[in-house]
Amino acid sequence: MRKVFNKELLNIAKEDSRVFMILADIGYGEIEEFANTFPDRFINCGVAEQNMTGVACGVAMEGNIAITYSIANFPTLRCLEQIRNDVCYHNANVKIVIIGGGMAYGELGISHHSTEDIAIMRSLPNMVVLVPCDPVETAALTRMMMKYDGPVYFRCGYKGEPVIVERDFEAKLGGSSLIRDGKDATVFFAGTVGINAKKAVEELAAEGINCRLVSLYSIKPIDKDAIIAAARETGGIVVLEEHNIHGGVGSAVAEVLMDEGVGNVPFKRIAMPDVNATKVGCQAWMREQYGLGVADVVNAVRKMVKK
Amino acid sequence: MTAQELQKCRELAKKVRIHCLKMVCKGKSGHIGSMLSMADILPVIYTQILNVDPANPDKAERDRFILSKGHGGAALLATLAELGFFPLAWLDRYYCDNGKLSGHISHHIPGVEFSTGSLGHGLPVACGMAMAAKQAGKKHRIICMSSDGDLNEGSSWEAIMLAGQHHFDNLTMLVDYNRLQALGKSKDIIDLESLKEKLEIFGWRAVEVDGHDQQAVYEAMRDLPLCNGKPSAIIFHTVKGKGVSFMENDYKWHYGGLTPELCEKAIKEVEAVK
């Protein structure tokens, strides 16, 4: 997904001279073409994420589009106050792009996991939160993000992710991708963990349980209509995310259900438990260990449908 | 600067001090020492140095002035109001319910380039503005006012390193260097000495100037950059609480509240200065 993002960004930057890339010494093997093609629109601030974010804000305040780019939680948590006070308060046109959302860098340990980011970013005024699930959504959301004037948090994946959304499409703020329709239950997800939701829904279909499968690629604003429709038209809602159970995608969906008066529906969040992930392993293995596996989704839906 | 211009700067500084005392007293706010500390500098840069226009505060070619020590923002607000960026009456409602002016400056006020309040934010943003101006071939200057406390923040030094590395000579840092901060003397908390040498090691050209000698302030800033190819730093030696004898060089006036009686006494002292 990072290759897709960088390719799309490069194409956009060739057409739009307002695009700047502001780095904090991360991006080896991916950002060189941008740096070499647009040396006057590229700066490596060194290992200094607070400065990276402040510089990006200053660049954006002059009428440009500034991308900050790093891995996992580096461009969000270290520099959260710069994002809040500088970028969001000034509604600056800064795009905060992370590579490796969730536990993509699983083996590296929690310093390199991004598992609280959605809750934190969606609580900031003026911030849009986008979470692509595969290379197709990455391309579509990159194009949409760059057309939008204002702060965006873009939770990209890492590398080698399978395709979940089959066809290229035009993404919209507050939109979602309907991947499969069904009436028995709806499985919402956001991000690359969606591959487990897809496999689970296929397994459930084989046993006669037909689920609606939806990628909530826009967490803020969120697709309220899709959530309300799921509550009204299907037998229950399961939300899968690679994020702490508190404040993420499941919470966002639950908020809509309650606020819109359609909360009287079976509902289950499948997310990281509220613990520090101390186990060591790759992303797929870590998902299994922390309850985000295919079987976890299958079991949640089965239990819901049996009720 | 002519004698007449210098006299105008002196008068403006006096007005700024009196506004700040009244604002802090009425609003029951703090940071008066930090405001008085830079009250002689702001009138010079706003009337003699910066390319800004009260009638068109957002004009594209304006010089960008960022006050990174946003807690002293009332001094900037008083300066802007006196110069006509917004009505003087707004100052009366500083720090008050439904007033327009908050304790730390906000870009929602005409003439305020950037909102600050938490320290260490100004210089990184100024670096970004400097980079963008160079890329676009624009000639406006970017000037950022820092302070002892502001230079405690790691993010300020991240920006200082970057500006030196990339030769941002369209960037000038002013330091309101009164050597006091919230809980005491800077040398007992984080000693920045020797600040001039530190900045020069990091690729800046730095000079030290008496921040209460307005002619000297003007002379230091008249020909920027101080050195082609380097960012400029002007370290203004100042006195926290300058102009009010019982506040000068006493760190308790970083936060200290001002009673109406003390306010009246302070204003009399400021007014008595010729």
Side-chain angles (χ1 to χ4, degrees):
Chain A
M1 282 164 70
R2 66 177 176 175
K3 278 205 183 305
V4 172
F5 167 77
N6 278 293
K7 185 179 164 207
E8 289 291 335
L9 182 70
L10 195 65
N11 287 339
I12 293 165
K14 283 175 182 167
E15 302 295 320
D16 189 342
S17 62
R18 299 173 302 153
V19 179
F20 283 61
M21 208 167 187
I22 317 293
L23 293 197
D25 211 30
I26 290 280
Y28 177 76
E30 299 294 337
I31 52 77
E32 289 80 357
E33 194 172 352
F34 190 107
N36 294 332
T37 311
F38 310 111
D40 62 337
R41 292 192 267 143
F42 173 88
I43 193 166
N44 182 353
C45 295
V47 188
E49 291 79 10
Q50 294 178 75
N51 196 33
M52 170 180 75
T53 307
V55 167
C57 183
V59 164
M61 297 284 286
E62 295 298 323
N64 301 301
I65 309 171
I67 314 292
T68 64
Y69 174 100
S70 190
I71 59 173
N73 60 64
F74 293 8
T76 53
L77 299 190
R78 179 66 160 266
C79 46
L80 180 56
E81 192 180 75
Q82 278 76 13
I83 295 174
R84 176 183 180 269
N85 294 13
D86 300 348
V87 175
C88 289
Y89 186 41
H90 295 83
N91 205 21
N93 204 355
V94 174
K95 317 303 183 191
I96 300 157
V97 177
I98 73 155
I99 300 302
M103 295 180 289
Y105 295 99
E107 303 91 333
L108 288 175
I110 69 154
S111 65
H112 287 59
H113 296 171
S114 186
T115 46
E116 308 82 20
D117 50 333
I118 294 171
I120 294 167
M121 289 297 117
R122 80 185 183 96
S123 71
L124 297 172
N126 285 340
M127 183 67 84
V128 164
V129 177
L130 302 178
V131 184
C133 71
D134 72 352
V136 177
E137 279 194 350
T138 300
L141 293 178
T142 302
R143 294 193 298 268
M144 177 185 78
M145 169 172 78
M146 297 304 288
K147 285 179 192 161
Y148 173 76
D149 183 8
V152 176
Y153 173 57
F154 191 92
R155 191 201 218 210
C156 195
Y158 181 25
K159 60 182 178 183
E161 290 85 356
V163 168
I164 298 174
V165 178
E166 297 292 340
R167 282 194 301 275
D168 194 15
F169 66 106
E170 191 172 339
K172 59 176 186 179
L173 278 183
S176 63
S177 299
L178 175 65
I179 295 158
R180 178 191 183 114
D181 207 358
K183 293 284 185 188
D184 294 329
T186 299
V187 178
F188 286 114
F189 68 87
T192 58
V193 73
I195 191 63
N196 285 355
K198 188 181 182 195
K199 287 177 182 170
V201 165
E202 286 165 359
E203 197 175 317
L204 288 160
E207 58 188 77
I209 300 172
N210 291 306
C211 293
R212 185 175 293 179
L213 182 63
V214 180
S215 169
L216 290 171
Y217 60 71
S218 177
I219 304 301
K220 183 186 173 188
I222 200 163
D223 191 344
K224 287 184 182 180
D225 291 343
I227 295 167
I228 294 166
R232 288 183 175 151
E233 297 167 9
T234 71
I237 293 174
V238 170
V239 186
L240 175 67
E241 62 184 312
E242 194 167 333
H243 184 278
N244 187 290
I245 188 80
H246 297 302
V249 185
S251 299
V253 171
E255 289 160 15
V256 173
L257 292 173
M258 297 308 291
D259 286 346
E260 300 298 326
V262 289
N264 187 23
V265 61
F267 180 77
K268 176 69 179 173
R269 291 178 296 161
I270 302 178
M272 292 278 297
D274 187 23
V275 297
N276 289 305
T278 52
K279 295 181 182 179
V280 179
C282 71
Q283 187 174 28
W285 186 85
M286 293 287 274
R287 285 170 176 164
E288 299 290 332
Q289 294 298 307
Y290 288 98
L292 315 180
V294 176
D296 297 297
V297 180
V298 168
N299 290 337
V301 173
R302 273 193 197 134
K303 200 171 167 186
M304 192 171 277
V305 170
K306 274 181 191 168
K307 283 178 183 172
Chain B
M1 188 158 59
T2 66
Q4 196 179 10
E5 287 166 338
L6 180 60
Q7 186 55 31
K8 278 190 173 173
C9 285
R10 285 188 179 135
E11 287 166 10
L12 181 53
K14 189 182 278 194
K15 287 178 182 171
V16 167
R17 285 197 163 89
I18 292 169
H19 282 308
C20 288
L21 288 161
K22 289 179 176 173
M23 290 160 78
V24 165
C25 182
K26 188 175 179 188
K28 298 185 174 63
S29 70
H31 300 124
I32 183 67
S34 309
M35 298 163 190
L36 299 181
S37 178
M38 59 177 171
D40 293 311
I41 301 166
L42 293 174
V44 176
I45 62 179
Y46 266 88
T47 64
Q48 305 299 320
I49 304 294
L50 295 178
N51 173 17
V52 289
D53 181 1
N56 187 10
D58 298 325
K59 69 174 181 176
E61 68 274 24
R62 72 190 182 281
D63 289 328
R64 275 63 163 166
F65 178 77
I66 294 177
L67 184 67
S68 196
K69 48 167 290 187
H71 55 285
L76 176 59
L77 295 171
T79 305
L80 293 172
E82 279 292 339
L83 295 177
F85 280 86
F86 56 84
L88 278 164
W90 290 11
L91 301 181
D92 295 336
R93 304 284 300 150
Y94 169 78
Y95 217 83
C96 294
D97 291 349
N98 206 28
K100 290 185 183 294
L101 308 178
S102 55
H104 295 81
I105 53 167
S106 168
H107 65 288
H108 293 113
I109 303 305
V112 176
E113 189 72 41
F114 198 74
S115 301
T116 54
S118 179
L119 295 176
H121 285 248
L123 278 168
V125 173
C127 279
M129 290 179 172
M131 180 195 180
K134 279 198 172 280
Q135 190 272 340
K138 292 178 179 170
K139 299 298 178 196
H140 62 260
R141 293 168 297 185
I142 296 91
I143 297 176
C144 178
M145 173 83 89
S146 183
S147 66
D148 299 75
D150 195 49
L151 291 175
N152 286 185
E153 293 280 5
S155 52
S156 294
W157 290 94
E158 290 177 3
I160 287 167
M161 289 191 284
L162 187 79
Q165 175 80 25
H166 289 275
H167 312 288
F168 290 152
D169 60 2
N170 54 350
L171 171 66
T172 298
M173 171 171 64
L174 313 178
V175 185
D176 179 6
Y177 196 39
N178 58 42
R179 298 178 190 241
L180 291 177
Q181 49 193 97
L183 296 184
K185 293 178 182 172
S186 301
K187 76 179 171 84
D188 297 332
I189 299 166
I190 292 292
D191 189 356
L192 292 168
E193 281 299 289
S194 167
L195 183 57
K196 179 174 183 290
E197 281 74 7
K198 283 176 180 163
L199 292 169
E200 295 206 326
I201 286 167
F202 281 18
W204 291 55
R205 175 61 58 86
V207 293
E208 297 183 89
V209 177
D210 178 349
H212 300 301
D213 178 343
Q214 292 184 311
Q215 186 67 36
V217 172
Y218 172 74
E219 299 292 339
M221 297 194 65
R222 189 175 50 185
D223 295 311
L224 294 172
L226 298 173
C227 173
N228 285 329
K230 291 185 175 188
S232 306
I234 303 174
I235 301 166
F236 288 120
H237 290 279
T238 55
V239 174
K240 197 158 190 153
K242 175 72 176 178
V244 178
S245 59
F246 61 87
M247 292 183 184
E248 287 187 0
N249 281 322
D250 186 346
Y251 74 88
K252 86 172 187 186
W253 292 101
H254 182 84
Y255 288 124
L258 196 56
T259 63
E261 296 73 26
L262 281 177
C263 183
E264 195 179 330
K265 188 178 167 192
I267 288 172
K268 277 184 183 161
E269 278 195 29
V270 172
E271 284 176 336
V273 175
K274 289 182 181 171

